[in-house]
Amino acid sequence: MRMWRIVLPLTASIAAVPLVAAPARVTTAGIVGGTMPGSPASVLQVGTGPAPTVDSTPSLVALSAMTVAFPHAALHPTIVSRAQWRADESKRDPRAHYANGVSAIFIHHTDTPNAYDCADVPHILRNLYTGQTRDQHWGDFGYNFLVDRCGNIYEGRAGGVDRPVVGSHTQGFNQGTAGIAAIGTFGRGTKVPAPMERAIAALAAWKLGLRDVDPRGKVRLTSTNDKSLYPKGTSASFYAISAHRDGFATDCPGDALFARLPAIRDLAARLQGRCLREPARVQLSRALPSLDGSR
């Protein structure tokens, strides 16, 4: 009798993953390195359009290669700092607030014009920042991050891009989440720029990967006030990458961007190294008939 040995593929291998160890130009699932001034050479760059006019002074904190124990850590994307887009730090509250971690992302749009030059985005950010601190009284930028149509990523709320900073972006669900705002207005029929989509996916993949959260999965969040779609204290299920409208009565982030969220989730999962493969038991059941020559 002929004996067969069956070797099953491992669906997940836990290993130390370099978090910021990519070369200056990286091509991963369609993401191509950008040319952001002052960006470290060891981080994933996603911007594909003209770089904004920002200060080119290198950060005082030198980034080095780090490792994490999570099997699905994604590369750290290039992020334009508050200092680079020249945020007036005197306008914000001096102390940031933190959660225990970030388990979900809420996607927004800024509801501002789309026909902007990416080199002018720092000026746009300063105007938005003034409105949210002076007029909205949010104490700082409401969003943790913003992304422009060229795929450039900007630090929004102060406190550290790699830390779980509590923002003011989704009423009732600011704790344990991060807000990413697409700069522009994305109502029905508006085309969402591909570089913007890729940058949002890369940012979400990295941020959720810090807690090994699958971007395609579901998480449970608890509302902290009655102004959200859920009464205070109510636990609700959300996608790990959700829309502002999922937690609050609003059209944000617009029908067009909302429709792109499934594709953004899938790309973010691929950037985390999550293969869309079948479970091992399904692979085995399909392989077994072929072993006796019946196929």
Side-chain angles (χ1 to χ4, degrees):
M1 177 180 297
R2 179 177 296 180
M3 302 296 292
W4 298 95
R5 185 177 64 173
I6 302 172
V7 180
L8 295 179
L10 294 177
T11 58
S13 59
I14 299 179
V17 181
L19 187 60
V20 286
R25 293 184 61 83
V26 178
T27 303
T28 305
I31 292 184
V32 182
T35 56
M36 185 69 64
S39 61
S42 60
V43 297
L44 177 63
Q45 299 180 339
V46 296
T48 60
T53 303
V54 295
D55 297 335
S56 59
T57 304
S59 170
L60 295 177
V61 180
L63 288 178
S64 59
M66 299 185 301
T67 58
V68 295
F70 294 140
H72 299 113
L75 292 172
H76 188 319
T78 299
I79 300 172
V80 181
S81 71
R82 290 170 62 93
Q84 288 176 305
W85 60 262
R86 301 190 300 279
D88 183 349
E89 302 298 354
S90 68
K91 294 181 178 180
R92 68 174 177 87
D93 293 340
R95 189 168 67 92
H97 299 275
Y98 300 93
N100 291 328
V102 170
S103 59
I105 303 285
F106 282 102
I107 305 299
H108 306 255
H109 66 174
T110 57
D111 201 19
T112 53
N114 293 334
Y116 55 85
D117 188 323
C118 291
D120 294 332
V121 169
H123 176 70
I124 295 171
L125 294 183
R126 291 192 293 272
N127 286 339
L128 288 170
Y129 176 52
T130 297
Q132 295 187 4
T133 53
R134 183 191 64 194
D135 304 330
Q136 300 291 339
H137 304 292
W138 289 346
D140 196 350
F141 236 133
Y143 315 117
N144 298 94
F145 304 94
L146 299 98
V147 179
D148 70 19
R149 64 186 186 87
C150 295
N152 299 309
I153 302 170
Y154 299 83
E155 178 184 14
R157 200 171 188 88
V161 296
D162 58 341
R163 301 186 67 186
V165 180
V166 178
S168 297
H169 53 85
T170 305
Q171 191 75 256
F173 296 102
N174 290 310
Q175 287 283 341
T177 67
I180 300 176
I183 301 174
T185 302
F186 297 97
R188 187 182 302 274
T190 304
K191 181 174 177 55
V192 181
M196 174 180 278
E197 280 193 36
R198 293 194 294 266
I200 292 172
L203 177 57
W206 166 68
K207 194 67 176 176
L208 293 174
L210 297 177
R211 291 286 297 272
D212 200 25
V213 176
D214 188 335
R216 302 161 301 178
K218 294 284 190 77
V219 298
R220 295 201 70 83
L221 303 173
T222 301
S223 176
T224 60
N225 63 51
D226 293 327
K227 296 180 180 180
S228 74
L229 291 180
Y230 301 90
K232 181 178 179 179
T234 302
S235 175
S237 177
F238 293 88
Y239 278 106
I241 300 178
S242 287
H244 186 190
R245 65 173 65 178
D246 293 326
F248 187 71
T250 176
D251 290 332
C252 184
D255 289 346
L257 183 51
F258 181 78
R260 298 301 302 162
L261 292 189
I264 289 172
R265 293 182 191 114
D266 285 344
L267 177 54
R270 291 200 300 273
L271 292 173
Q272 287 186 346
R274 297 180 188 271
C275 298
L276 305 180
R277 61 178 65 171
E278 297 170 316
R281 63 178 181 275
V282 176
Q283 294 178 348
L284 177 61
S285 66
R286 292 186 176 184
L288 283 175
S290 65
L291 296 180
D292 61 4
S294 63
R295 285 190 182 180

